[in-house]
Amino acid sequence: MNRSRNLKAMAIDDEPIALRVIETHAQKISQLDLIQTTTNAVQGLQFALQHEVDIIFLDIQMPDLTGFQLLKQLSDKSKIVLTTAYPQYALQGYEHDVIDYLLKPISFDRFFQSFQKVLRLFQLKAPVSNGQEGLGPASTHGVIFIKTEHKLVRVNHDDVFYLQGGKDYTTIFTRTDKLLSLTSLTKFEEALPAPLFLRVHKSFLVAVNKIHFIERQRIFIENAVIPIGDSYKDAVIRNTGI
């Protein structure tokens, strides 16, 4: 992406009021161009497939075509931010590697956070000339060096709570910050020491000593609720003794 151009966005929601909220928020962000809004999911899909769209703000429950059905048609063409009034779809959203999950009514603060998250992803993909393009995470002596944007950030192992992976990036949740790295979760799994860190889901790697409790195939760390994938249950049992 040319970092000088704005991100192009569209919104698909069968509620006109919800679209107006997104339009109002988008108008306040100079780096974001909302090029299309529609209440018709089928027409929205056609537009997204025929045009360059960086971000799609996508409702889930719509007639004719649900948000998840539309996601399958788009594949990886655009970054997706789900917008919905129903929190129970959050875990399913993880399975589709969406960038963020906004609950209605959407405040400008949360909307702007989602925009910044997508913007950082595109900035990470921009070419750099500092010789660090091929660097993945490097871990040594209780410390991991994380490549984020155009620098390496030093993070103590004990400050990491959990990591969430998408198709082409990983978010590292630490004691004081969230770091976004264009490195796969598998690379972090290889770099971080076992059994201190445990893969519990295709999209999650957790620090075992930060687990508060485990209940009904869910892990609770700080304010996060992390699902345990079916193929990871045995490993979780072995390493936590539940």
Side-chain angles (χ1 to χ4, degrees), residues 51-66:
H51 297 80
E52 181 181 6
V53 181
D54 300 311
I55 316 170
I56 299 177
F57 296 97
L58 179 64
D59 188 24
I60 294 177
Q61 289 197 336
M62 297 181 289
D64 298 327
L65 195 64
T66 70

Side-chain angles (χ1 to χ4, degrees), residues 80-100:
I80 305 296
V81 174
L82 291 178
T83 60
T84 179
Y86 303 96
Q88 64 265 30
Y89 293 115
L91 293 183
Q92 192 175 353
Y94 289 139
E95 297 292 336
H96 289 274
D97 292 315
V98 301
I99 301 301
D100 206 349

Side-chain angles (χ1 to χ4, degrees), residues 20-239:
R20 284 198 292 272
V21 170
I22 291 175
E23 289 172 351
T24 300
H25 291 339
Q27 288 171 359
K28 299 176 183 177
I29 303 175
S30 61
Q31 293 172 282
L32 182 65
D33 293 333
L34 188 64
I35 61 174
Q36 176 76 345
T37 64
T38 180
T39 58
N40 187 302
V42 175
Q43 291 179 4
L45 174 61
Q46 292 172 345
F47 183 91
L49 292 174
Q50 295 169 6
H51 297 80
E52 181 181 6
V53 181
D54 300 311
I55 316 170
I56 299 177
F57 296 97
L58 179 64
D59 188 24
I60 294 177
Q61 289 197 336
M62 297 181 289
D64 298 327
L65 195 64
T66 70
F68 289 123
Q69 290 171 333
L70 192 148
L71 265 172
K72 293 177 182 178
Q73 299 294 323
L74 284 173
S75 186
D76 298 331
K77 189 176 184 298
S78 304
K79 304 301 181 186
I80 305 296
V81 174
L82 291 178
T83 60
T84 179
Y86 303 96
Q88 64 265 30
Y89 293 115
L91 293 183
Q92 192 175 353
Y94 289 139
E95 297 292 336
H96 289 274
D97 292 315
V98 301
I99 301 301
D100 206 349
Y101 192 95
L102 298 181
L103 283 176
K104 300 175 182 177
I106 301 168
S107 68
F108 176 72
D109 178 63
R110 276 297 287 119
F111 184 86
F112 188 64
Q113 286 180 30
S114 289
F115 164 74
Q116 287 183 310
K117 189 171 184 179
V118 178
L119 179 64
R120 285 195 297 270
L121 281 177
F122 281 100
Q123 289 174 336
L124 285 169
K125 290 182 177 181
V128 296
S129 57
N130 59 4
Q132 295 179 346
E133 294 89 339
L135 287 176
S139 181
T140 180
H141 303 299
V143 169
I144 187 168
F145 289 89
I146 299 169
K147 182 177 184 297
T148 175
E149 297 188 32
H150 305 301
K151 59 182 180 290
L152 289 173
V153 179
R154 181 183 186 273
V155 178
N156 293 327
H157 289 170
D158 193 51
D159 287 335
V160 178
F161 283 76
Y162 65 97
L163 300 89
Q164 180 181 351
K167 284 188 172 67
D168 52 5
Y169 68 95
T170 298
T171 305
I172 303 93
F173 293 81
T174 74
R175 194 181 304 276
T176 59
D177 204 359
K178 287 194 302 185
L179 301 171
L180 198 63
S181 177
L182 201 65
T183 303
S184 71
L185 188 63
T186 298
K187 291 291 186 183
F188 279 104
E189 183 181 14
E190 295 169 353
L192 288 165
L196 299 180
F197 291 87
L198 178 64
R199 188 75 170 261
V200 300
H201 186 276
K202 72 172 187 177
S203 299
F204 289 96
L205 180 69
V206 306
V208 175
N209 68 348
K210 299 298 190 301
I211 296 174
H212 287 177
F213 61 94
I214 300 173
E215 181 183 56
R216 296 179 181 177
Q217 211 163 317
R218 297 178 298 173
I219 293 172
F220 292 78
I221 297 179
E222 290 294 300
N223 296 320
V225 181
I226 297 169
I228 299 173
D230 289 339
S231 60
Y232 296 90
K233 284 192 297 186
D234 290 346
V236 172
I237 292 171
R238 286 196 305 271
N239 286 275

